[in-house]
PDB file of all heavy atoms in Angstrom:
ATOM      1  N   LEU A   1       1.504   3.929  -1.600  1.00  0.00           N
ATOM      2  CA  LEU A   1       0.284   3.065  -1.807  1.00  0.00           C
ATOM      3  C   LEU A   1      -0.893   4.006  -2.155  1.00  0.00           C
ATOM      4  O   LEU A   1      -1.122   4.951  -1.415  1.00  0.00           O
ATOM      5  CB  LEU A   1      -0.088   2.337  -0.593  1.00  0.00           C
ATOM      6  CG  LEU A   1       0.995   1.104  -0.242  1.00  0.00           C
ATOM      7  CD1 LEU A   1       0.628   0.463   0.994  1.00  0.00           C
ATOM      8  CD2 LEU A   1       1.012   0.151  -1.408  1.00  0.00           C
ATOM      9  N   SER A   2      -1.652   3.559  -3.152  1.00  0.00           N
ATOM     10  CA  SER A   2      -2.825   4.329  -3.537  1.00  0.00           C
ATOM     11  C   SER A   2      -3.917   3.288  -3.847  1.00  0.00           C
ATOM     12  O   SER A   2      -3.747   2.088  -4.050  1.00  0.00           O
ATOM     13  CB  SER A   2      -2.595   5.169  -4.882  1.00  0.00           C
ATOM     14  OG  SER A   2      -1.559   6.069  -4.686  1.00  0.00           O
ATOM     15  N   THR A   3      -5.188   3.808  -3.942  1.00  0.00           N
ATOM     16  CA  THR A   3      -6.301   2.915  -4.270  1.00  0.00           C
ATOM     17  C   THR A   3      -7.010   3.282  -5.591  1.00  0.00           C
ATOM     18  O   THR A   3      -7.018   4.440  -5.851  1.00  0.00           O
ATOM     19  CB  THR A   3      -7.348   2.954  -3.179  1.00  0.00           C
ATOM     20  OG1 THR A   3      -7.693   4.322  -2.896  1.00  0.00           O
ATOM     21  CG2 THR A   3      -6.904   2.256  -1.992  1.00  0.00           C
ATOM     22  N   ILE A   4      -7.344   2.297  -6.401  1.00  0.00           N
ATOM     23  CA  ILE A   4      -7.773   2.671  -7.749  1.00  0.00           C
ATOM     24  C   ILE A   4      -9.054   1.723  -7.956  1.00  0.00           C
ATOM     25  O   ILE A   4      -9.068   0.561  -7.643  1.00  0.00           O
ATOM     26  CB  ILE A   4      -6.629   2.163  -8.762  1.00  0.00           C
ATOM     27  CG1 ILE A   4      -5.353   3.095  -8.511  1.00  0.00           C
ATOM     28  CG2 ILE A   4      -7.196   2.417 -10.201  1.00  0.00           C
ATOM     29  CD1 ILE A   4      -4.209   2.660  -9.325  1.00  0.00           C
ATOM     30  N   ILE A   5     -10.072   2.362  -8.652  1.00  0.00           N
ATOM     31  CA  ILE A   5     -11.241   1.665  -9.061  1.00  0.00           C
ATOM     32  C   ILE A   5     -11.048   0.857 -10.339  1.00  0.00           C
ATOM     33  O   ILE A   5     -10.677   1.412 -11.316  1.00  0.00           O
ATOM     34  CB  ILE A   5     -12.396   2.635  -9.119  1.00  0.00           C
ATOM     35  CG1 ILE A   5     -12.652   3.399  -7.837  1.00  0.00           C
ATOM     36  CG2 ILE A   5     -13.731   1.907  -9.660  1.00  0.00           C
ATOM     37  CD1 ILE A   5     -13.679   4.572  -8.002  1.00  0.00           C
ATOM     38  N   VAL A   6     -11.414  -0.424 -10.227  1.00  0.00           N
ATOM     39  CA  VAL A   6     -11.378  -1.246 -11.444  1.00  0.00           C
ATOM     40  C   VAL A   6     -12.618  -1.785 -11.823  1.00  0.00           C
ATOM     41  O   VAL A   6     -13.095  -2.680 -11.093  1.00  0.00           O
ATOM     42  CB  VAL A   6     -10.296  -2.426 -11.317  1.00  0.00           C
ATOM     43  CG1 VAL A   6     -10.189  -3.207 -12.729  1.00  0.00           C
ATOM     44  CG2 VAL A   6      -8.929  -1.908 -10.957  1.00  0.00           C
ATOM     45  N   PRO A   7     -13.331  -1.344 -12.827  1.00  0.00           N
ATOM     46  CA  PRO A   7     -14.712  -1.949 -13.142  1.00  0.00           C
ATOM     47  C   PRO A   7     -14.606  -3.438 -13.517  1.00  0.00           C
ATOM     48  O   PRO A   7     -13.540  -3.929 -14.124  1.00  0.00           O
ATOM     49  CB  PRO A   7     -15.127  -1.127 -14.413  1.00  0.00           C
ATOM     50  CG  PRO A   7     -14.374   0.155 -14.223  1.00  0.00           C
ATOM     51  CD  PRO A   7     -12.979  -0.299 -13.672  1.00  0.00           C
ATOM     52  N   ALA A   8     -15.562  -4.072 -13.209  1.00  0.00           N
ATOM     53  CA  ALA A   8     -15.706  -5.508 -13.652  1.00  0.00           C
ATOM     54  C   ALA A   8     -15.706  -5.633 -15.247  1.00  0.00           C
ATOM     55  O   ALA A   8     -16.249  -4.711 -15.913  1.00  0.00           O
ATOM     56  CB  ALA A   8     -17.010  -6.143 -13.126  1.00  0.00           C
ATOM     57  N   GLY A   9     -14.970  -6.601 -15.740  1.00  0.00           N
ATOM     58  CA  GLY A   9     -14.914  -6.799 -17.155  1.00  0.00           C
ATOM     59  C   GLY A   9     -13.777  -6.008 -17.889  1.00  0.00           C
ATOM     60  O   GLY A   9     -13.766  -6.159 -19.023  1.00  0.00           O
ATOM     61  N   THR A  10     -13.089  -5.244 -17.104  1.00  0.00           N
ATOM     62  CA  THR A  10     -11.883  -4.455 -17.696  1.00  0.00           C
ATOM     63  C   THR A  10     -10.910  -5.520 -18.173  1.00  0.00           C
ATOM     64  O   THR A  10     -10.558  -6.376 -17.540  1.00  0.00           O
ATOM     65  CB  THR A  10     -11.230  -3.594 -16.615  1.00  0.00           C
ATOM     66  OG1 THR A  10     -12.203  -2.639 -16.105  1.00  0.00           O
ATOM     67  CG2 THR A  10     -10.117  -2.832 -17.378  1.00  0.00           C
ATOM     68  N   PRO A  11     -10.436  -5.309 -19.509  1.00  0.00           N
ATOM     69  CA  PRO A  11      -9.415  -6.305 -20.012  1.00  0.00           C
ATOM     70  C   PRO A  11      -8.186  -6.313 -19.100  1.00  0.00           C
ATOM     71  O   PRO A  11      -7.735  -5.306 -18.654  1.00  0.00           O
ATOM     72  CB  PRO A  11      -9.037  -5.585 -21.383  1.00  0.00           C
ATOM     73  CG  PRO A  11     -10.299  -4.877 -21.793  1.00  0.00           C
ATOM     74  CD  PRO A  11     -10.877  -4.319 -20.450  1.00  0.00           C
ATOM     75  N   GLY A  12      -7.690  -7.511 -18.974  1.00  0.00           N
ATOM     76  CA  GLY A  12      -6.529  -7.630 -18.128  1.00  0.00           C
ATOM     77  C   GLY A  12      -6.917  -7.943 -16.655  1.00  0.00           C
ATOM     78  O   GLY A  12      -6.059  -8.240 -15.817  1.00  0.00           O
ATOM     79  N   PHE A  13      -8.153  -7.797 -16.263  1.00  0.00           N
ATOM     80  CA  PHE A  13      -8.651  -8.092 -14.924  1.00  0.00           C
ATOM     81  C   PHE A  13      -9.305  -9.456 -14.945  1.00  0.00           C
ATOM     82  O   PHE A  13     -10.407  -9.650 -15.599  1.00  0.00           O
ATOM     83  CB  PHE A  13      -9.648  -6.893 -14.566  1.00  0.00           C
ATOM     84  CG  PHE A  13     -10.377  -7.167 -13.221  1.00  0.00           C
ATOM     85  CD1 PHE A  13      -9.923  -8.062 -12.265  1.00  0.00           C
ATOM     86  CD2 PHE A  13     -11.602  -6.640 -13.003  1.00  0.00           C
ATOM     87  CE1 PHE A  13     -10.588  -8.354 -11.072  1.00  0.00           C
ATOM     88  CE2 PHE A  13     -12.318  -6.829 -11.843  1.00  0.00           C
ATOM     89  CZ  PHE A  13     -11.906  -7.628 -10.946  1.00  0.00           C
ATOM     90  N   THR A  14      -8.801 -10.398 -14.299  1.00  0.00           N
ATOM     91  CA  THR A  14      -9.244 -11.747 -14.399  1.00  0.00           C
ATOM     92  C   THR A  14      -9.652 -12.255 -12.948  1.00  0.00           C
ATOM     93  O   THR A  14      -9.027 -12.109 -11.928  1.00  0.00           O
ATOM     94  CB  THR A  14      -8.180 -12.707 -14.859  1.00  0.00           C
ATOM     95  OG1 THR A  14      -7.793 -12.371 -16.116  1.00  0.00           O
ATOM     96  CG2 THR A  14      -8.820 -14.149 -14.838  1.00  0.00           C
ATOM     97  N   VAL A  15     -10.908 -12.723 -12.865  1.00  0.00           N
ATOM     98  CA  VAL A  15     -11.414 -13.396 -11.634  1.00  0.00           C
ATOM     99  C   VAL A  15     -11.338 -14.848 -11.674  1.00  0.00           C
ATOM    100  O   VAL A  15     -11.879 -15.544 -12.615  1.00  0.00           O
ATOM    101  CB  VAL A  15     -12.893 -12.988 -11.422  1.00  0.00           C
ATOM    102  CG1 VAL A  15     -13.406 -13.517 -10.214  1.00  0.00           C
ATOM    103  CG2 VAL A  15     -13.079 -11.414 -11.383  1.00  0.00           C
ATOM    104  N   ALA A  16     -10.624 -15.423 -10.759  1.00  0.00           N
ATOM    105  CA  ALA A  16     -10.343 -16.900 -10.772  1.00  0.00           C
ATOM    106  C   ALA A  16     -11.674 -17.603 -10.264  1.00  0.00           C
ATOM    107  O   ALA A  16     -12.509 -16.938  -9.597  1.00  0.00           O
ATOM    108  CB  ALA A  16      -9.191 -17.218  -9.801  1.00  0.00           C
ATOM    109  N   PRO A  17     -11.810 -18.800 -10.505  1.00  0.00           N
ATOM    110  CA  PRO A  17     -12.981 -19.549  -9.971  1.00  0.00           C
ATOM    111  C   PRO A  17     -13.049 -19.497  -8.412  1.00  0.00           C
ATOM    112  O   PRO A  17     -11.888 -19.205  -7.733  1.00  0.00           O
ATOM    113  CB  PRO A  17     -12.559 -20.980 -10.324  1.00  0.00           C
ATOM    114  CG  PRO A  17     -11.768 -20.982 -11.493  1.00  0.00           C
ATOM    115  CD  PRO A  17     -10.859 -19.732 -11.296  1.00  0.00           C
ATOM    116  N   GLY A  18     -14.201 -19.517  -7.842  1.00  0.00           N
ATOM    117  CA  GLY A  18     -14.375 -19.370  -6.485  1.00  0.00           C
ATOM    118  C   GLY A  18     -13.581 -20.474  -5.620  1.00  0.00           C
ATOM    119  O   GLY A  18     -13.375 -21.470  -6.096  1.00  0.00           O
ATOM    120  N   TYR A  19     -13.177 -20.066  -4.424  1.00  0.00           N
ATOM    121  CA  TYR A  19     -12.538 -20.937  -3.646  1.00  0.00           C
ATOM    122  C   TYR A  19     -13.447 -22.036  -3.090  1.00  0.00           C
ATOM    123  O   TYR A  19     -14.611 -21.856  -2.884  1.00  0.00           O
ATOM    124  CB  TYR A  19     -12.014 -20.230  -2.336  1.00  0.00           C
ATOM    125  CG  TYR A  19     -10.840 -19.235  -2.598  1.00  0.00           C
ATOM    126  CD1 TYR A  19     -11.161 -17.859  -2.661  1.00  0.00           C
ATOM    127  CD2 TYR A  19      -9.561 -19.524  -2.847  1.00  0.00           C
ATOM    128  CE1 TYR A  19     -10.133 -16.909  -2.958  1.00  0.00           C
ATOM    129  CE2 TYR A  19      -8.427 -18.711  -2.951  1.00  0.00           C
ATOM    130  CZ  TYR A  19      -8.849 -17.323  -3.066  1.00  0.00           C
ATOM    131  OH  TYR A  19      -7.830 -16.377  -3.136  1.00  0.00           O
ATOM    132  N   SER A  20     -12.893 -23.164  -2.739  1.00  0.00           N
ATOM    133  CA  SER A  20     -13.588 -24.157  -2.021  1.00  0.00           C
ATOM    134  C   SER A  20     -13.252 -23.958  -0.483  1.00  0.00           C
ATOM    135  O   SER A  20     -12.096 -24.168  -0.051  1.00  0.00           O
ATOM    136  CB  SER A  20     -13.001 -25.634  -2.389  1.00  0.00           C
ATOM    137  OG  SER A  20     -13.636 -26.591  -1.566  1.00  0.00           O
ATOM    138  N   LYS A  21     -14.276 -23.534   0.138  1.00  0.00           N
ATOM    139  CA  LYS A  21     -14.038 -23.046   1.593  1.00  0.00           C
ATOM    140  C   LYS A  21     -14.666 -23.917   2.653  1.00  0.00           C
ATOM    141  O   LYS A  21     -15.634 -24.696   2.341  1.00  0.00           O
ATOM    142  CB  LYS A  21     -14.740 -21.600   1.643  1.00  0.00           C
ATOM    143  CG  LYS A  21     -14.102 -20.513   0.838  1.00  0.00           C
ATOM    144  CD  LYS A  21     -14.876 -19.264   0.957  1.00  0.00           C
ATOM    145  CE  LYS A  21     -16.275 -19.305   0.248  1.00  0.00           C
ATOM    146  NZ  LYS A  21     -16.922 -18.058   0.273  1.00  0.00           N
ATOM    147  N   VAL A  22     -14.159 -23.914   3.739  1.00  0.00           N
ATOM    148  CA  VAL A  22     -14.700 -24.497   4.956  1.00  0.00           C
ATOM    149  C   VAL A  22     -16.078 -24.047   5.341  1.00  0.00           C
ATOM    150  O   VAL A  22     -16.977 -24.785   5.551  1.00  0.00           O
ATOM    151  CB  VAL A  22     -13.717 -24.564   6.196  1.00  0.00           C
ATOM    152  CG1 VAL A  22     -14.317 -25.096   7.358  1.00  0.00           C
ATOM    153  CG2 VAL A  22     -12.480 -25.233   5.766  1.00  0.00           C
ATOM    154  N   GLY A  23     -16.152 -22.801   5.335  1.00  0.00           N
ATOM    155  CA  GLY A  23     -17.384 -22.070   5.807  1.00  0.00           C
ATOM    156  C   GLY A  23     -17.698 -20.927   4.838  1.00  0.00           C
ATOM    157  O   GLY A  23     -17.066 -20.719   3.781  1.00  0.00           O
ATOM    158  N   TRP A  24     -18.756 -20.203   5.133  1.00  0.00           N
ATOM    159  CA  TRP A  24     -19.243 -19.003   4.380  1.00  0.00           C
ATOM    160  C   TRP A  24     -19.402 -19.511   2.907  1.00  0.00           C
ATOM    161  O   TRP A  24     -19.104 -18.760   1.868  1.00  0.00           O
ATOM    162  CB  TRP A  24     -18.238 -17.831   4.326  1.00  0.00           C
ATOM    163  CG  TRP A  24     -18.279 -17.127   5.683  1.00  0.00           C
ATOM    164  CD1 TRP A  24     -19.047 -17.200   6.785  1.00  0.00           C
ATOM    165  CD2 TRP A  24     -17.460 -15.931   5.945  1.00  0.00           C
ATOM    166  NE1 TRP A  24     -18.721 -16.266   7.679  1.00  0.00           N
ATOM    167  CE2 TRP A  24     -17.782 -15.433   7.203  1.00  0.00           C
ATOM    168  CE3 TRP A  24     -16.502 -15.236   5.137  1.00  0.00           C
ATOM    169  CZ2 TRP A  24     -17.171 -14.400   7.793  1.00  0.00           C
ATOM    170  CZ3 TRP A  24     -15.790 -14.078   5.776  1.00  0.00           C
ATOM    171  CH2 TRP A  24     -16.151 -13.722   7.057  1.00  0.00           C
ATOM    172  N   THR A  25     -19.835 -20.756   2.766  1.00  0.00           N
ATOM    173  CA  THR A  25     -19.861 -21.249   1.394  1.00  0.00           C
ATOM    174  C   THR A  25     -20.964 -20.791   0.451  1.00  0.00           C
ATOM    175  O   THR A  25     -20.977 -20.985  -0.687  1.00  0.00           O
ATOM    176  CB  THR A  25     -19.981 -22.829   1.470  1.00  0.00           C
ATOM    177  OG1 THR A  25     -21.294 -23.177   2.068  1.00  0.00           O
ATOM    178  CG2 THR A  25     -18.917 -23.397   2.183  1.00  0.00           C
ATOM    179  N   ALA A  26     -21.873 -19.926   1.045  1.00  0.00           N
ATOM    180  CA  ALA A  26     -22.881 -19.226   0.136  1.00  0.00           C
ATOM    181  C   ALA A  26     -22.496 -17.830  -0.126  1.00  0.00           C
ATOM    182  O   ALA A  26     -23.347 -17.082  -0.566  1.00  0.00           O
ATOM    183  CB  ALA A  26     -24.335 -19.407   0.761  1.00  0.00           C
ATOM    184  N   SER A  27     -21.217 -17.404   0.304  1.00  0.00           N
ATOM    185  CA  SER A  27     -20.794 -16.097   0.005  1.00  0.00           C
ATOM    186  C   SER A  27     -19.766 -16.254  -1.164  1.00  0.00           C
ATOM    187  O   SER A  27     -19.371 -17.450  -1.600  1.00  0.00           O
ATOM    188  CB  SER A  27     -20.147 -15.420   1.083  1.00  0.00           C
ATOM    189  OG  SER A  27     -18.866 -16.053   1.469  1.00  0.00           O
ATOM    190  N   ASP A  28     -19.363 -15.157  -1.825  1.00  0.00           N
ATOM    191  CA  ASP A  28     -18.603 -15.142  -3.101  1.00  0.00           C
ATOM    192  C   ASP A  28     -17.118 -14.630  -2.673  1.00  0.00           C
ATOM    193  O   ASP A  28     -16.960 -13.457  -2.192  1.00  0.00           O
ATOM    194  CB  ASP A  28     -19.344 -14.169  -4.016  1.00  0.00           C
ATOM    195  CG  ASP A  28     -18.488 -14.077  -5.335  1.00  0.00           C
ATOM    196  OD1 ASP A  28     -18.670 -14.995  -6.183  1.00  0.00           O
ATOM    197  OD2 ASP A  28     -17.677 -13.042  -5.435  1.00  0.00           O
ATOM    198  N   THR A  29     -16.197 -15.529  -3.031  1.00  0.00           N
ATOM    199  CA  THR A  29     -14.859 -15.183  -2.653  1.00  0.00           C
ATOM    200  C   THR A  29     -13.842 -15.692  -3.779  1.00  0.00           C
ATOM    201  O   THR A  29     -13.925 -16.798  -4.151  1.00  0.00           O
ATOM    202  CB  THR A  29     -14.377 -15.918  -1.296  1.00  0.00           C
ATOM    203  OG1 THR A  29     -15.379 -15.820  -0.402  1.00  0.00           O
ATOM    204  CG2 THR A  29     -13.197 -15.150  -0.761  1.00  0.00           C
ATOM    205  N   HIS A  30     -12.935 -14.760  -4.215  1.00  0.00           N
ATOM    206  CA  HIS A  30     -12.113 -15.087  -5.391  1.00  0.00           C
ATOM    207  C   HIS A  30     -10.688 -14.570  -5.265  1.00  0.00           C
ATOM    208  O   HIS A  30     -10.428 -13.673  -4.528  1.00  0.00           O
ATOM    209  CB  HIS A  30     -12.757 -14.703  -6.637  1.00  0.00           C
ATOM    210  CG  HIS A  30     -14.047 -15.094  -7.077  1.00  0.00           C
ATOM    211  ND1 HIS A  30     -14.266 -16.145  -7.901  1.00  0.00           N
ATOM    212  CD2 HIS A  30     -15.246 -14.669  -6.617  1.00  0.00           C
ATOM    213  CE1 HIS A  30     -15.463 -16.421  -7.939  1.00  0.00           C
ATOM    214  NE2 HIS A  30     -16.219 -15.523  -7.223  1.00  0.00           N
ATOM    215  N   GLU A  31      -9.815 -15.156  -5.994  1.00  0.00           N
ATOM    216  CA  GLU A  31      -8.502 -14.589  -6.249  1.00  0.00           C
ATOM    217  C   GLU A  31      -8.664 -13.723  -7.525  1.00  0.00           C
ATOM    218  O   GLU A  31      -9.311 -14.221  -8.383  1.00  0.00           O
ATOM    219  CB  GLU A  31      -7.395 -15.654  -6.390  1.00  0.00           C
ATOM    220  CG  GLU A  31      -6.056 -14.969  -6.615  1.00  0.00           C
ATOM    221  CD  GLU A  31      -4.843 -16.080  -6.632  1.00  0.00           C
ATOM    222  OE1 GLU A  31      -5.227 -17.184  -6.246  1.00  0.00           O
ATOM    223  OE2 GLU A  31      -3.755 -15.602  -6.866  1.00  0.00           O
ATOM    224  N   LEU A  32      -8.009 -12.587  -7.525  1.00  0.00           N
ATOM    225  CA  LEU A  32      -8.002 -11.595  -8.713  1.00  0.00           C
ATOM    226  C   LEU A  32      -6.580 -11.488  -9.159  1.00  0.00           C
ATOM    227  O   LEU A  32      -5.654 -11.368  -8.449  1.00  0.00           O
ATOM    228  CB  LEU A  32      -8.665 -10.332  -8.199  1.00  0.00           C
ATOM    229  CG  LEU A  32      -9.810 -10.346  -7.484  1.00  0.00           C
ATOM    230  CD1 LEU A  32     -10.251  -8.909  -7.062  1.00  0.00           C
ATOM    231  CD2 LEU A  32     -11.047 -10.946  -8.229  1.00  0.00           C
ATOM    232  N   THR A  33      -6.508 -11.377 -10.519  1.00  0.00           N
ATOM    233  CA  THR A  33      -5.211 -11.084 -11.186  1.00  0.00           C
ATOM    234  C   THR A  33      -5.372  -9.919 -12.056  1.00  0.00           C
ATOM    235  O   THR A  33      -6.425  -9.704 -12.759  1.00  0.00           O
ATOM    236  CB  THR A  33      -4.661 -12.279 -11.903  1.00  0.00           C
ATOM    237  OG1 THR A  33      -5.589 -12.760 -12.946  1.00  0.00           O
ATOM    238  CG2 THR A  33      -4.323 -13.488 -10.978  1.00  0.00           C
ATOM    239  N   PHE A  34      -4.311  -9.052 -12.212  1.00  0.00           N
ATOM    240  CA  PHE A  34      -4.200  -7.876 -13.077  1.00  0.00           C
ATOM    241  C   PHE A  34      -3.024  -8.042 -14.009  1.00  0.00           C
ATOM    242  O   PHE A  34      -1.921  -8.097 -13.465  1.00  0.00           O
ATOM    243  CB  PHE A  34      -4.237  -6.697 -12.249  1.00  0.00           C
ATOM    244  CG  PHE A  34      -5.399  -6.586 -11.196  1.00  0.00           C
ATOM    245  CD1 PHE A  34      -5.345  -7.080  -9.977  1.00  0.00           C
ATOM    246  CD2 PHE A  34      -6.616  -5.984 -11.597  1.00  0.00           C
ATOM    247  CE1 PHE A  34      -6.345  -7.000  -9.027  1.00  0.00           C
ATOM    248  CE2 PHE A  34      -7.682  -5.847 -10.738  1.00  0.00           C
ATOM    249  CZ  PHE A  34      -7.503  -6.504  -9.476  1.00  0.00           C
ATOM    250  N   ASP A  35      -3.240  -8.084 -15.201  1.00  0.00           N
ATOM    251  CA  ASP A  35      -2.162  -8.250 -16.285  1.00  0.00           C
ATOM    252  C   ASP A  35      -2.238  -7.143 -17.206  1.00  0.00           C
ATOM    253  O   ASP A  35      -3.022  -7.202 -18.146  1.00  0.00           O
ATOM    254  CB  ASP A  35      -2.284  -9.587 -16.888  1.00  0.00           C
ATOM    255  CG  ASP A  35      -1.097  -9.996 -17.864  1.00  0.00           C
ATOM    256  OD1 ASP A  35      -0.115  -9.190 -17.784  1.00  0.00           O
ATOM    257  OD2 ASP A  35      -1.165 -10.880 -18.559  1.00  0.00           O
ATOM    258  N   ASP A  36      -1.459  -6.116 -16.966  1.00  0.00           N
ATOM    259  CA  ASP A  36      -1.442  -4.859 -17.769  1.00  0.00           C
ATOM    260  C   ASP A  36      -2.961  -4.385 -17.887  1.00  0.00           C
ATOM    261  O   ASP A  36      -3.294  -4.069 -19.038  1.00  0.00           O
ATOM    262  CB  ASP A  36      -0.909  -5.195 -19.287  1.00  0.00           C
ATOM    263  CG  ASP A  36       0.596  -5.289 -19.191  1.00  0.00           C
ATOM    264  OD1 ASP A  36       1.205  -4.765 -18.237  1.00  0.00           O
ATOM    265  OD2 ASP A  36       1.168  -5.929 -20.050  1.00  0.00           O
ATOM    266  N   CYS A  37      -3.576  -4.325 -16.845  1.00  0.00           N
ATOM    267  CA  CYS A  37      -4.987  -3.892 -16.785  1.00  0.00           C
ATOM    268  C   CYS A  37      -5.021  -2.391 -16.738  1.00  0.00           C
ATOM    269  O   CYS A  37      -4.410  -1.735 -15.863  1.00  0.00           O
ATOM    270  CB  CYS A  37      -5.576  -4.524 -15.520  1.00  0.00           C
ATOM    271  SG  CYS A  37      -7.318  -3.900 -15.213  1.00  0.00           S
ATOM    272  N   ARG A  38      -5.702  -1.852 -17.708  1.00  0.00           N
ATOM    273  CA  ARG A  38      -5.670  -0.354 -17.819  1.00  0.00           C
ATOM    274  C   ARG A  38      -7.043   0.129 -17.547  1.00  0.00           C
ATOM    275  O   ARG A  38      -8.064  -0.211 -18.000  1.00  0.00           O
ATOM    276  CB  ARG A  38      -5.413   0.041 -19.340  1.00  0.00           C
ATOM    277  CG  ARG A  38      -3.892  -0.234 -19.805  1.00  0.00           C
ATOM    278  CD  ARG A  38      -3.725  -0.009 -21.273  1.00  0.00           C
ATOM    279  NE  ARG A  38      -2.294  -0.135 -21.590  1.00  0.00           N
ATOM    280  CZ  ARG A  38      -1.423   0.872 -21.550  1.00  0.00           C
ATOM    281  NH1 ARG A  38      -1.859   2.085 -21.193  1.00  0.00           N
ATOM    282  NH2 ARG A  38      -0.139   0.680 -21.771  1.00  0.00           N
ATOM    283  N   VAL A  39      -6.962   1.271 -16.618  1.00  0.00           N
ATOM    284  CA  VAL A  39      -8.152   2.036 -16.314  1.00  0.00           C
ATOM    285  C   VAL A  39      -7.797   3.555 -16.378  1.00  0.00           C
ATOM    286  O   VAL A  39      -6.674   3.851 -16.281  1.00  0.00           O
ATOM    287  CB  VAL A  39      -8.650   1.640 -14.798  1.00  0.00           C
ATOM    288  CG1 VAL A  39      -9.026   0.190 -14.758  1.00  0.00           C
ATOM    289  CG2 VAL A  39      -7.620   2.040 -13.856  1.00  0.00           C
ATOM    290  N   PRO A  40      -8.735   4.412 -16.532  1.00  0.00           N
ATOM    291  CA  PRO A  40      -8.481   5.808 -16.593  1.00  0.00           C
ATOM    292  C   PRO A  40      -7.771   6.316 -15.391  1.00  0.00           C
ATOM    293  O   PRO A  40      -8.033   5.851 -14.248  1.00  0.00           O
ATOM    294  CB  PRO A  40      -9.915   6.449 -16.745  1.00  0.00           C
ATOM    295  CG  PRO A  40     -10.768   5.340 -17.378  1.00  0.00           C
ATOM    296  CD  PRO A  40     -10.166   4.100 -16.669  1.00  0.00           C
ATOM    297  N   ALA A  41      -7.023   7.371 -15.582  1.00  0.00           N
ATOM    298  CA  ALA A  41      -6.303   7.988 -14.365  1.00  0.00           C
ATOM    299  C   ALA A  41      -7.287   8.525 -13.447  1.00  0.00           C
ATOM    300  O   ALA A  41      -6.983   8.591 -12.220  1.00  0.00           O
ATOM    301  CB  ALA A  41      -5.391   9.142 -14.889  1.00  0.00           C
ATOM    302  N   ALA A  42      -8.460   8.852 -13.905  1.00  0.00           N
ATOM    303  CA  ALA A  42      -9.569   9.561 -13.078  1.00  0.00           C
ATOM    304  C   ALA A  42     -10.099   8.433 -12.127  1.00  0.00           C
ATOM    305  O   ALA A  42     -10.868   8.691 -11.201  1.00  0.00           O
ATOM    306  CB  ALA A  42     -10.680  10.031 -13.942  1.00  0.00           C
ATOM    307  N   ASN A  43      -9.742   7.116 -12.224  1.00  0.00           N
ATOM    308  CA  ASN A  43     -10.117   6.089 -11.335  1.00  0.00           C
ATOM    309  C   ASN A  43      -9.454   6.057  -9.947  1.00  0.00           C
ATOM    310  O   ASN A  43      -9.767   5.252  -9.239  1.00  0.00           O
ATOM    311  CB  ASN A  43     -10.123   4.761 -12.054  1.00  0.00           C
ATOM    312  CG  ASN A  43     -11.351   4.504 -13.030  1.00  0.00           C
ATOM    313  OD1 ASN A  43     -11.877   5.467 -13.574  1.00  0.00           O
ATOM    314  ND2 ASN A  43     -11.680   3.231 -13.338  1.00  0.00           N
TER     315      ASN A  43
END
């Protein structure tokens, strides 16, 4: 397992609409998908 930095707006990186939550409704929470999302090896 490794960790990799993915900048916002990277092609293949999709942010789903925000969840409908019971609480913390003024905070930002999403599901994220990565579909052949490419970032530099240096990330």
